[in-house]
Amino acid sequence: MQSITIHPSKLKGAITIAPSKSVMQRVCAAALLHKGTTIIHNPGKSNDDVAAIQIIQQLGATITINENNIEIVSRGIQPKTTTINCGESGLSARMFASIIALHDEQIELTGNGSLNKRSLHWFNEVFPQLNVEIQSQQGFLPLHIKGALQPKNIVVDGSSSSQYLTGLLMAYSYSIQQNISILKDADITIEVQNLNSKPYIDLTLQVMKDFGMLVPENLNDEKFIFKSTHQQINPSTNQQINYTIEGDWSGAAFFLVAAAIHGNITVKGLQPNSLQADKKIIEVLNQVDANFSIQNNNYVFGETAELKSFDFDATHCPDLFPPLVALACFCNAISTIKGVHRLANKESNRAISLQTEFIKFGVNIQLNNDTMFIHPASTITGGIFTSHNDHRIAMACAIVATKANGQVTIQQANAIKKSYPSFYNDLKKINTHINFND
């Protein structure tokens, strides 16, 4: 399937959302660091999830993939190879680099596709301070990493991505757990400046807690303190951990937008109390006066006469830009989204990709400093679009296509496999007319 064609459709029915890759990848990392057995229920199957499974396997975990779960047995970090490939997963590269740095032999970290164009210069700044040797291609993959990482008081920049901090927190926790006397004389602190995507750190800390890891005290997302009192904590080891992966709010955002613009759709499989950053989509749906209610943890939508425009700051949840732009196409006035600076270092430069593709729908997107202005069109036109090899651009175009005045062909449609391989099939389940092209 190189492209798909979506015909105007009246969507209706119910959809169960795929598992969260943000949770899945963090759980894979925690399972590697947990000396014992982990059973992952409702595991993710996206390309990024597969990459995380392969990484922990290469780092020493034994993996058994069953029909309904994945069994992971780990004795800690015991690399089976000197080269680790992260696929196209930015989270895996940023998170596992610090975990790899716990090992005292050199390991090469590589990736594929768009990941090779995404800067990882953060490690060049941080690793030398932690006794880790690092070589890179001017801040890009491949990275050559040689530890062993030694937790120390450090100040790091959190402005480009919270994913770096996720890996560092897990690495510090594991290293201290292996040698708790590190905390004998004083606390160890990671100070973070200008942290973005803060909710994802809450998610990381929760996964660490669920796995019995040493969890630092969080002071306003500015300081993370491993307290000397942690010496009295005995982290759990050798016990079996069962972990169920919750539904993905990032992927769900597209179906929630589809439900808002069509009505008569029920979205299932989400946790209303989730720590995932993209749960913020609900705030926007309330702003636009979408007609929905929560019934038994299901989001049930009726038809809405008119959707109001919205003003939203997506700095800490930048993956919401594409579905929110899709929503703005059907609002009654200009909508604004702040946080454009977070879009440049994604699978594509999403601000430019959204501008380039949505003007084909007749929707004008203006960029003014850090704010995006979306001007809805009176008529959504069909045509030929491209995903820019970006999964979220493909999904955003697909949602808008369902209410276009003619058919929409999306090229490079396979990009959705990165995060949501069943996305188009799930769209078909709610009555979308889709042709899969060779």
Side-chain angles (χ1 to χ4, degrees), residues 45-163:
K45 299 179 181 178
S46 72
N47 286 356
D48 283 5
D49 297 324
V50 171
I53 286 291
Q54 291 175 344
I55 289 167
I56 66 171
Q57 191 169 32
Q58 292 166 350
L59 289 174
T62 300
I63 310 293
T64 303
I65 299 178
N66 303 309
E67 183 177 353
N68 297 315
N69 60 56
I70 296 176
E71 179 177 333
I72 301 168
V73 179
S74 178
R75 295 183 178 87
I77 301 169
Q78 300 178 354
K80 300 176 182 177
T81 176
T82 57
T83 300
I84 304 294
N85 191 307
C86 294
E88 290 193 76
S89 173
L91 171 57
S92 283
R94 293 170 180 144
M95 177 174 62
F96 281 109
S98 290
I99 293 171
I100 287 170
L102 292 165
H103 191 59
D104 60 3
E105 296 180 5
Q106 181 169 287
I107 293 178
E108 181 184 42
L109 188 67
T110 67
N112 301 329
S114 62
L115 185 58
N116 291 317
K117 300 177 182 178
R118 300 171 75 172
S119 175
L120 298 171
H121 72 277
W122 189 91
F123 295 114
N124 295 76
E125 303 288 333
V126 172
F127 276 179
Q129 302 177 59
L130 303 175
N131 194 49
V132 178
E133 297 177 16
I134 174 76
Q135 296 177 359
S136 69
Q137 301 299 310
Q138 296 182 328
F140 294 87
L141 292 175
L143 306 182
H144 293 87
I145 302 167
K146 185 177 186 300
L149 183 150
Q150 295 180 0
K152 298 176 183 177
N153 293 332
I154 193 172
V155 179
V156 300
D157 176 28
S159 62
S160 59
S161 174
S162 67
Q163 294 172 350

Side-chain angles (χ1 to χ4, degrees), residues 26-40:
R26 284 169 171 80
V27 167
C28 286
L32 171 69
L33 300 177
H34 169 68
K35 294 183 178 180
T37 300
T38 302
I39 308 293
I40 300 179

Side-chain angles (χ1 to χ4, degrees), residues 187 190 205 215-219 223-227 230:
D187 301 341
I190 301 175
L205 296 175
V215 179
E217 180 181 348
N218 180 0
L219 297 184
K223 288 185 179 181
F224 296 83
I225 306 172
F226 291 88
K227 307 283 286 185
H230 281 162

Side-chain angles (χ1 to χ4, degrees), residues 19-33:
S20 166
K21 74 184 185 76
S22 294
V23 176
M24 176 71 178
Q25 290 179 85
R26 284 169 171 80
V27 167
C28 286
L32 171 69
L33 300 177

Side-chain angles (χ1 to χ4, degrees), residues 5 40 74 226 258 278 318 348 433:
T5 299
I40 300 179
S74 178
F226 291 88
D278 291 340
S348 68
H433 184 188

Side-chain angles (χ1 to χ4, degrees), residues 107-321:
I107 293 178
E108 181 184 42
L109 188 67
T110 67
N112 301 329
S114 62
L115 185 58
N116 291 317
K117 300 177 182 178
R118 300 171 75 172
S119 175
L120 298 171
H121 72 277
W122 189 91
F123 295 114
N124 295 76
E125 303 288 333
V126 172
F127 276 179
Q129 302 177 59
L130 303 175
N131 194 49
V132 178
E133 297 177 16
I134 174 76
Q135 296 177 359
S136 69
Q137 301 299 310
Q138 296 182 328
F140 294 87
L141 292 175
L143 306 182
H144 293 87
I145 302 167
K146 185 177 186 300
L149 183 150
Q150 295 180 0
K152 298 176 183 177
N153 293 332
I154 193 172
V155 179
V156 300
D157 176 28
S159 62
S160 59
S161 174
S162 67
Q163 294 172 350
Y164 296 109
L165 180 59
T166 282
L168 199 61
L169 288 169
M170 286 191 171
Y172 266 49
S173 177
Y174 180 84
S175 181
I176 293 169
Q177 180 178 333
Q178 299 308 298
N179 184 12
I180 201 70
S181 64
I182 294 174
L183 294 175
K184 180 179 179 181
D185 298 321
D187 301 341
I188 294 179
T189 299
I190 301 175
E191 184 177 339
V192 187
Q193 298 176 340
N194 306 310
L195 180 62
N196 277 320
S197 299
K198 295 177 182 179
Y200 286 103
I201 295 303
D202 293 333
L203 182 60
T204 297
L205 296 175
Q206 183 60 54
V207 170
M208 291 171 64
K209 180 180 178 181
D210 292 341
F211 274 81
M213 299 176 70
L214 297 181
V215 179
E217 180 181 348
N218 180 0
L219 297 184
N220 301 316
D221 294 312
E222 296 174 351
K223 288 185 179 181
F224 296 83
I225 306 172
F226 291 88
K227 307 283 286 185
S228 58
T229 52
H230 281 162
Q231 286 191 91
Q232 282 72 52
I233 297 176
N234 241 341
S236 57
T237 57
N238 299 320
Q239 69 179 43
Q240 178 173 304
I241 293 177
N242 286 273
Y243 205 105
T244 300
I245 307 299
E246 63 177 273
D248 182 29
W249 277 93
S250 301
F254 294 97
F255 285 98
L256 292 166
V257 167
I261 64 179
H262 284 276
N264 301 315
I265 293 173
T266 298
V267 180
K268 301 179 178 181
L270 296 171
Q271 288 189 12
N273 62 347
S274 174
L275 294 176
Q276 293 180 53
D278 291 340
K279 190 184 72 171
K280 287 282 188 179
I281 185 71
I282 296 300
E283 293 183 11
V284 183
L285 293 176
N286 284 321
Q287 270 196 57
V288 302
D289 278 351
N291 178 15
F292 74 97
S293 61
I294 304 174
Q295 301 175 20
N296 298 321
N297 290 344
N298 299 324
Y299 290 78
V300 182
F301 286 76
E303 293 186 15
T304 303
E306 182 179 66
L307 295 171
K308 296 180 180 179
S309 60
F310 62 87
D311 181 12
F312 183 71
D313 187 347
T315 298
H316 295 295
C317 45
D319 286 346
L320 283 182
F321 265 89

